[in-house]
Amino acid sequence: KAGVTQTPRYLIKTRGQQVTLSCSPISGHRSVSWYQQTPGQGLQFLFEYFSETQRNKGNFPGRFSGRQFSNSRSEMNVSTLELGDSALYLCASSPPVPGRLNTEAFFGQGTRLTVV
Amino acid sequence: AQRVTQPEKLLSVFKGAPVELKCNYSYSGSPELFWYVQYSRQRLQLLLRHISRESIKGFTADLNKGETSFHLKKPFAQEEDSAMYYCALHAGGKLIFGQGTELSVKP
């Protein structure tokens, strides 16, 4: 099976712009989560989508949003970019486990966003 | 508050020496804990989870609820173990990660 694929791998944007990052989960996985990784804050949860619905949300401002499509692919959008949004954005997908919320996450290689 | 603490940013050992990467957590419920590893230029990947109680690549981790710890151990470190190690707690539908420990195994 192909792993979690994130595009693009690298991105440079200017303050005030908006950006959209894409994530294709492993085939059969319906849960997609997004994390921000920075040297100062480490890995922080942004949100999780399951069957096109946002199921959980982290403590990030409303400029950060996401969505999931019927094929489980997900996009993350950041509007009005700030310098502090420079980070590695990781997507993770999880397989369905009958009767429980699955917790094992498979990560993509990330999108490195630089805001200048 | 739900929190994961990895007190060591860097742990440096010689090949063949025992390794223990510390992880403490704060969680009021029944914890579900993981160790993730990131080798150089590779993606973050699951190393082991406490509910499976297995040994992966010679690593083991035991959940100690009394001490709220989930330390990762290996009796004899290998150079290929050099990587970033993250302890994570699954809570409220998300993974809460520690800050990570960089393990450096010297020849």
Side-chain angles (χ1 to χ4, degrees):
Chain A
K1 273 187 180 177
V4 177
T5 305
Q6 292 187 246
T7 56
R9 291 289 311 280
Y10 303 92
L11 208 47
I12 300 176
K13 289 286 188 179
T14 305
R15 270 183 304 174
Q17 287 186 312
Q18 75 157 13
V19 67
T20 299
L21 312 182
S22 181
C23 172
S24 293
I26 292 172
S27 178
H29 290 194
R30 292 164 61 191
S31 169
V32 174
S33 299
W34 289 89
Y35 292 82
Q36 182 196 64
Q37 186 175 26
T38 59
Q41 300 298 316
L43 281 150
Q44 292 189 290
F45 173 78
L46 280 153
F47 27 65
E48 184 220 359
Y49 285 86
F50 180 83
S51 291
E52 303 178 64
T53 302
Q54 188 180 85
R55 194 160 61 174
N56 291 289
K57 189 177 189 304
N59 297 323
F60 278 81
R63 300 185 297 107
F64 291 82
S65 63
R67 60 178 176 167
Q68 187 179 33
F69 301 95
S70 58
N71 62 358
S72 294
R73 190 177 70 85
S74 178
E75 287 183 347
M76 190 193 110
N77 185 276
V78 188
S79 63
T80 320
L81 283 165
E82 300 176 0
L83 295 179
D85 297 333
S86 294
L88 180 67
Y89 289 88
L90 293 174
C91 169
S93 73
S94 297
V97 176
R100 62 176 294 214
L101 285 173
N102 184 268
T103 54
E104 180 169 354
F106 294 80
F107 285 84
Q109 292 200 298
T111 294
R112 172 76 60 187
L113 172 65
T114 303
V115 183
V116 298
Chain B
Q2 300 157 352
R3 187 184 304 122
V4 175
T5 304
Q6 294 179 248
E8 304 136 330
K9 288 190 71 173
L10 173 64
L11 188 61
S12 186
V13 301
F14 285 102
K15 177 182 171 182
V19 169
E20 182 179 50
L21 290 86
K22 291 183 166 48
C23 171
N24 288 89
Y25 67 91
S26 173
Y27 184 58
S28 56
S30 185
E32 188 163 2
L33 289 151
F34 304 81
W35 276 99
Y36 280 83
V37 61
Q38 189 167 32
Y39 301 101
S40 179
R41 297 191 193 88
Q42 294 188 29
R43 65 186 66 196
L44 195 61
Q45 57 187 284
L46 178 67
L47 180 61
L48 53 79
R49 56 197 304 181
H50 89 272
I51 60 172
S52 57
R53 300 184 65 81
E54 56 191 343
S55 173
I56 303 291
K57 298 184 180 183
F59 285 98
T60 59
D62 289 318
L63 176 61
N64 186 322
K65 291 186 178 181
E67 296 183 358
T68 60
S69 68
F70 187 56
H71 303 327
L72 184 67
K73 300 177 184 179
K74 184 169 183 176
F76 308 103
Q78 303 299 314
E79 289 180 69
E80 55 265 31
D81 295 329
S82 295
M84 279 294 295
Y85 290 81
Y86 294 93
C87 182
L89 165 71
H90 186 264
K94 62 183 181 288
L95 286 170
I96 300 168
F97 286 90
Q99 289 287 79
T101 298
E102 182 182 353
L103 174 63
S104 174
V105 182
K106 298 178 179 178

